[in-house]
Amino acid sequence: MAPKGTWLRRPCCELCACHGRAQDLTQKNNENERLWARRGSRGASLKQRVGGTRGRLWGATEASLRCRGEHVGSSNTRTNSQIWREAPRERVLLRVRYEGREWLDDYAVDLGEDSMFIRSDALFEVGEELRFSISFPGLLDPTPVKGTVRWRRRPDDGVPPEEVGVGVELREWEPEERRRVLALVERLKRHRDQPKAPGGQLRVLLVEDNSFVTELFHHAVVRFQHRFSESTTPEVFVARSGVEALKMIREQPVDLVILDHYLPGITGCALLRRMRQLPDYHDTPVLMVTVGGDDIREEALESGATLFMNKPALMTQLLQSLDAMVAGGAR
Amino acid sequence: MTDALHAAEQASGLVVVIDDSRTVLASAEAMLRRTGFDVVTAADPSSLEVERVRAADVVFVDINMDQVFGDDVVSILRESWQVACPIYLYSTIDGEELATRAKAAGAAGGICKSGGTQALVKQALRVVARGASS
């Protein structure tokens, strides 16, 4: 059996049920072939870096060629587009804005190395070329991307609203831009994999000395919890300083922390560094929302913040970040 | 505008203005008081008293502030503070986007800052006049 990420020439292998058919299918798409050949041995390291221990495969192209190293089994009965569609990806919420259609604001949920699912009500056609940018508040500035619609799901296909959209194969994605996006995915995934129960009551600590901003955060947390359970109200603790916050987390475990950097006494970053030294808080999702720009963002991420947002942050962006940290982008 | 101001020499009512620019606040307060309104201003909504805002006849909220966006201030005033009077967003952003954001936030409308503080006075007069006739 060939190691993962190795491109095998036909026959793919004796274990695989595709009998070379998947290879034939994918050969219809020269672009896929080219991409796969280009990826070659580095596929494995990408999987290790971002796919983690689940051994996930990246994107459409790899998925359509899985039988070469992964032994898909009954893939001979599936079309290329089906295999493409079923490819496991990383779940992450990214804002999608289309060039020339700024009024249309979609979001990407499943991201592969060279593909993504975009939740959209727009009537895109299969084969249509799209130019858009993807971004994430505070952590990823709008990054231009080009792609081709490979499949679509519409409301009349009988799928729930959150699954209506298009599968897009990405093209001409700059390596540096891709690296930034993958680093973001990795950061989100590390915290998302911690055991959590969005349906159960969330215990949240807000560390903020401005009472109105605290109210905004509280509001966002309640809205977020209600997405999963209308009848559940989160338990929210408020600390006005870093010292008060440290005392609280030692007394009462919390599932999520939202904090400011500029606090009376110790700063938010200093608090975070101390918090990360506590055994129960190594991987607790922490969202830092503060003024201070790039310098503070850098310090916050190095100190262990899961996500960073500049103040002021819109409620919608806060919800997006909570989604990404706690619910893995689920809506 | 001039007619409205003249007609309102006897205007009364409470207007709340929230804007992180103290210059804008000072200018708006002076103009509104001259027209006859009682005025509460805040550079930061955390300095406001809930009861005072609930008693207002109209509230104006700047969109771009240091700590929070005006859009969310409107949501919180409506949902948490139970403020029932008309709330308007005002900003330098253009009319169409302003109208869209105002609607999304649950505001009664948007007022462009290019109209100066007189635009706030004019809108406050309209609201008070509407309230008196209803």
Side-chain angles (χ1 to χ4, degrees), chain B residues 2 9 61 73 79 86 88 99 109 112 116 123-124:
Chain B
T2 313
E9 283 298 327
V61 186
V73 174
E79 293 172 33
Y88 292 88
C112 193
Q123 192 60 44

Side-chain angles (χ1 to χ4, degrees), chain A residues 172-236:
Chain A
E172 301 173 39
W173 202 1
E174 290 293 327
E176 180 56 24
E177 302 286 1
R178 184 198 305 246
R179 190 197 61 74
R180 287 171 54 216
V181 174
L182 295 185
L184 171 64
V185 172
E186 185 178 19
R187 172 173 288 276
L188 294 174
K189 184 181 175 300
R190 197 166 58 236
H191 292 269
R192 198 179 57 209
D193 286 348
Q194 298 305 308
K196 297 169 203 80
Q201 186 186 38
L202 278 172
R203 288 160 305 172
V204 184
L205 173 63
L206 308 179
V207 193
E208 170 64 64
D209 59 343
N210 181 302
S211 61
F212 200 87
V213 176
T214 305
E215 199 161 346
L216 173 69
F217 291 166
H218 194 154
H219 219 63
V221 170
V222 170
R223 276 198 195 179
F224 177 70
Q225 174 90 71
H226 284 177
R227 284 183 181 185
F228 301 98
S229 170
E230 277 286 345
S231 58
T232 308
T233 302
E235 196 172 358
V236 179

Side-chain angles (χ1 to χ4, degrees), chain B:
Chain B
M1 175 67 214
T2 313
D3 291 345
L5 280 177
H6 287 169
E9 283 298 327
Q10 306 303 317
S12 66
L14 175 61
V15 181
V16 175
V17 186
I18 307 169
D19 192 316
D20 62 345
S21 162
R22 294 191 186 273
T23 311
V24 171
L25 287 182
S27 166
E29 181 172 8
M31 185 81 82
L32 287 160
R33 285 197 186 282
R34 210 160 43 232
T35 313
F37 288 106
D38 191 7
V39 184
V40 171
T41 61
D44 178 345
S46 64
S47 66
L48 289 166
E49 291 172 26
V50 177
E51 292 305 324
R52 194 84 171 116
V53 183
R54 276 195 198 139
D57 294 284
V58 59
V59 178
F60 296 109
V61 186
D62 180 27
I63 285 187
N64 291 306
M65 293 188 282
D66 287 342
Q67 296 284 319
V68 282
F69 280 109
D71 318 50
D72 292 328
V73 174
V74 175
S75 298
I76 289 172
L77 294 188
R78 282 264 183 267
E79 293 172 33
S80 298
W81 292 28
Q82 306 286 308
V83 175
C85 72
I87 306 176
Y88 292 88
L89 281 176
Y90 77 107
S91 173
T92 50
I93 63 177
D94 73 57
E96 195 177 338
E97 186 186 345
L98 183 55
T100 306
R101 286 180 71 161
K103 189 177 177 189
I111 296 169
C112 193
K113 276 190 174 175
S114 60
T117 49
Q118 287 188 336
L120 300 187
V121 177
K122 194 173 175 180
Q123 192 60 44
L125 289 169
R126 280 200 196 113
V127 171
V128 171
R130 218 164 38 217
S133 64
S134 63

